[in-house]
Amino acid sequence: QLQASGGGLVQAGGSLRLSCAASGRTFNSYAMGWFRQAPVKEREFVAAISWGGGPTYYADSVKGRFAISRDNAKNTVYLQMNSLKPEDTAVYYCAANRARPTLIASHYDYWGQGTLVTVSS
């Protein structure tokens, strides 16, 4: 029901935009979040957005470089990633939370399959 896309290989300093498209149901009333998981690391929070598009929340490690947004008419959430660093390399997951946006993965009800982002140095 959530399909993440837009990952790929990019050089350090480059940009990527991830998309998370919903199908089968509307997530317009859900808070949405992005998480990531690097090899041998725990899944970590990246960004979240409320159902109406604001406010937004970011992990300190991506603040000022990443931007989350949503287009409820398209049932899609985006993650614009700029000034990418090798430490941003991970599988990125989008998730939906029927309550307010949180930083805690277990609070999210629906998850996409993940898209791999690789940043080379």
Side-chain angles (χ1 to χ4, degrees), residues 79-103:
L79 185 68
Q80 178 66 43
M81 306 187 296
N82 300 324
S83 303
L84 282 161
K85 304 176 181 180
E87 51 264 43
D88 295 318
T89 295
V91 176
Y92 284 71
Y93 299 88
C94 61
N97 177 356
R98 60 171 60 94
R100 64 182 184 276
T102 81
L103 285 61

Side-chain angles (χ1 to χ4, degrees), residues 27-77:
F27 288 95
N28 293 351
S29 62
Y30 285 63
M32 300 295 294
W34 287 96
F35 290 77
R36 67 186 181 186
Q37 188 166 16
V40 301
K41 288 190 175 180
E42 297 286 324
R43 187 170 299 191
E44 65 175 1
F45 169 77
V46 176
I49 188 168
S50 65
W51 70 270
T56 54
Y57 305 87
Y58 297 94
D60 288 342
S61 58
V62 307
K63 203 170 293 184
R65 300 188 298 122
F66 290 11
I68 187 171
S69 62
R70 66 191 298 162
D71 184 340
N72 285 342
K74 295 182 178 179
N75 221 12
T76 302
V77 177

Side-chain angles (χ1 to χ4, degrees), residues 11-25:
Q11 289 189 331
S15 298
L16 282 174
R17 188 175 82 155
L18 306 184
S19 298
C20 175
S23 61
R25 67 185 301 147

